[in-house]
Amino acid sequence: CTSVVAEDTSGKLLHARNLDFGLFLGWDVKNSTWMISELLKPLVVNVNFQRNNKTVFVSTGFAGYVGMLTGMKPGILTLTMNERFSLDGGYIGVLEWILGIRQGAWMSFLTRSVLENATSYEEAKTLLSKTVLLAPAYFILGGNQSGEGCVITRSRQSCLDIWELDIQKGKWYVLETNYDHWKPPLPIDNRRDPAMKCMNRTTQKNISIATIYDMLSTKPVLNKLTTYTTVMSVSENKLEGYLRDCPDPCMPW
Amino acid sequence: QDVPPYTEDCRSGTYPPSGPTYRGDVSWYTVNLDQPPSDRWRKIISDKKQPLTAMMQHIKDLTKYIFHTEKLIDLVDTKLPGLVGKLPPPFDEEIKGIADESGLPLGEVMLFNIFYEIFTV
């Protein structure tokens, strides 16, 4: 996955992501595609969650999956999550949960609760950084004011880092794939550098939904695992989801 | 990560989406949070029953292929339903409603919803 929160020169925040999933879960030699990625694409839906006929939040997700991986609370915040790998992984959390040790939250239920109940960027940041989890994760959070964008790196028990926008220092975007931002990514899976190269070439002056979509359409940021691309603008109250394909030649991940 | 033609230089002009990397817009649905949790997903699931069943079947086939046994699937179908009630509300009832609407075993729908934690293996 690749998630990015960017601030343009007018202080408007944009949040976008590629949802990549299905690695090693079956390769279709004939079509040179990942089977699970292809089976997930027909399940992708945008959902408008309403209460009293008013929108509480909107999301892009998979039918049948009640947790949230991508969402926007109109006028307040945007949230995506990317998978984080750690030896102290979710399988330990699941075992503990099955054995009755139930302090930890299921990752996607936490994101759903944040989108449904949080009333501000700061409140969401606190919930996402302090709630004990069953699995490690990256939460990428955007707010509704200048400077409100961050990547929260989580282990199961604690928050390892919060990497924030810092416009004064020229940090006008934060971009997360699936590696701790202070460490180099796996050389055979370095989608970070190509993505940052395109963001830097775009420059803050030209960042927009269109140019962020360009970056997310550039191989290997777009790859065989990419099921959908979602772009969000909290100030324009816009969430757009698009199903993706990556015709050969294309990186498998 | 510069391995042309598998990687490429920064694209431009890809928006509005079109061409071979664009398969289509994602369709919109409404979920009414005033409804009982078990009824919220009925419309979506009745539309997506077939692809959801196909995806679950693939996971089962893959499990059989990797572990050479159906025991794991039996475990999911027989043991996980007893744990659905331990999930925090409203997710327990929403998952039951999805199983009911789709006709899929409750354990398998729960597995799909905790797949992130499981998959970190």
Side-chain angles (χ1 to χ4, degrees), chain A residues 117-158:
Chain A
N117 306 309
T119 56
S120 71
Y121 169 80
E122 285 304 328
E123 182 188 348
K125 189 160 70 164
T126 301
L127 287 168
L128 295 167
S129 53
K130 296 197 180 324
T131 305
V132 173
L133 293 172
L134 289 179
Y138 298 104
F139 295 116
I140 302 90
L141 179 67
N144 59 8
Q145 298 169 50
S146 173
E148 289 188 339
C150 67
V151 174
I152 301 169
T153 300
R154 283 297 311 268
S155 69
R156 292 196 307 121
Q157 303 296 335
S158 63

Side-chain angles (χ1 to χ4, degrees), chain B residues 15-26:
Chain B
Y15 185 91
S18 65
T21 66
Y22 165 67
R23 183 183 288 195
D25 286 15
V26 175

Side-chain angles (χ1 to χ4, degrees), chain A residues 63-117:
Chain A
Y65 190 80
V66 301
M68 294 297 131
L69 304 173
T70 305
M72 176 176 79
K73 201 174 179 89
I76 296 177
L77 60 89
T78 51
L79 175 57
T80 58
M81 71 73 51
N82 287 8
E83 184 154 22
R84 181 169 186 262
F85 303 101
S86 157
L87 283 180
D88 180 16
Y91 54 98
I92 297 174
V94 172
L95 276 179
E96 285 179 357
W97 189 85
I98 287 175
L99 296 174
I101 306 168
R102 297 199 174 122
Q103 283 94 11
W106 298 93
M107 179 283 303
S108 66
F109 296 168
L110 172 62
T111 48
R112 161 97 182 257
S113 302
V114 166
L115 283 164
E116 203 164 324
N117 306 309

Side-chain angles (χ1 to χ4, degrees), chain A residues 49 66 112, chain B residues 30-46 90-101:
Chain A
F49 288 84
V66 301
R112 161 97 182 257
Chain B
T30 295
V31 163
N32 180 354
L33 296 171
D34 296 317
Q35 276 188 307
S38 54
D39 292 338
R40 288 171 181 169
W41 297 91
R42 286 201 186 278
K43 167 63 180 146
I44 292 178
I45 298 304
S46 70
F91 307 112
D92 52 347
E93 288 304 317
E94 289 190 6
I95 287 171
K96 287 176 189 168
I98 288 166
D100 180 55
E101 182 62 35

Side-chain angles (χ1 to χ4, degrees), chain A residues 35-224:
Chain A
M35 292 175 178
I36 282 283
S37 308
E38 294 309 301
L39 286 164
L40 282 171
K41 290 178 189 178
L43 292 173
V44 180
V45 289
N46 285 332
V47 182
N48 182 337
F49 288 84
Q50 294 191 343
R51 189 167 276 129
N52 303 322
N53 289 318
K54 279 181 61 187
T55 296
V56 178
F57 69 98
V58 290
S59 75
T60 304
F62 298 112
Y65 190 80
V66 301
M68 294 297 131
L69 304 173
T70 305
M72 176 176 79
K73 201 174 179 89
I76 296 177
L77 60 89
T78 51
L79 175 57
T80 58
M81 71 73 51
N82 287 8
E83 184 154 22
R84 181 169 186 262
F85 303 101
S86 157
L87 283 180
D88 180 16
Y91 54 98
I92 297 174
V94 172
L95 276 179
E96 285 179 357
W97 189 85
I98 287 175
L99 296 174
I101 306 168
R102 297 199 174 122
Q103 283 94 11
W106 298 93
M107 179 283 303
S108 66
F109 296 168
L110 172 62
T111 48
R112 161 97 182 257
S113 302
V114 166
L115 283 164
E116 203 164 324
N117 306 309
T119 56
S120 71
Y121 169 80
E122 285 304 328
E123 182 188 348
K125 189 160 70 164
T126 301
L127 287 168
L128 295 167
S129 53
K130 296 197 180 324
T131 305
V132 173
L133 293 172
L134 289 179
Y138 298 104
F139 295 116
I140 302 90
L141 179 67
N144 59 8
Q145 298 169 50
S146 173
E148 289 188 339
C150 67
V151 174
I152 301 169
T153 300
R154 283 297 311 268
S155 69
R156 292 196 307 121
Q157 303 296 335
S158 63
C159 176
L160 301 179
D161 179 75
I162 299 181
W163 177 32
E164 308 231 36
L165 291 178
D166 188 338
I167 307 303
Q168 309 313 320
K169 291 184 182 157
K171 207 186 300 172
W172 56 275
Y173 71 88
V174 284
L175 185 139
E176 177 56 55
T177 55
N178 297 97
Y179 300 94
D180 295 348
H181 72 89
W182 60 92
K183 298 173 190 166
L186 216 56
I188 59 166
D189 181 25
N190 181 358
R191 285 164 283 117
R192 178 201 292 167
D193 290 348
M196 289 179 70
K197 178 179 78 173
C198 297
M199 291 296 284
N200 296 334
R201 193 179 293 181
T202 300
T203 74
Q204 186 182 17
K205 187 164 55 70
N206 297 317
I207 200 66
S208 65
I209 280 187
T211 52
I212 271 191
Y213 188 86
D214 286 340
M215 180 274 287
L216 292 170
S217 301
T218 300
K219 299 172 189 173
V221 183
L222 177 75
N223 55 73
K224 289 287 185 185

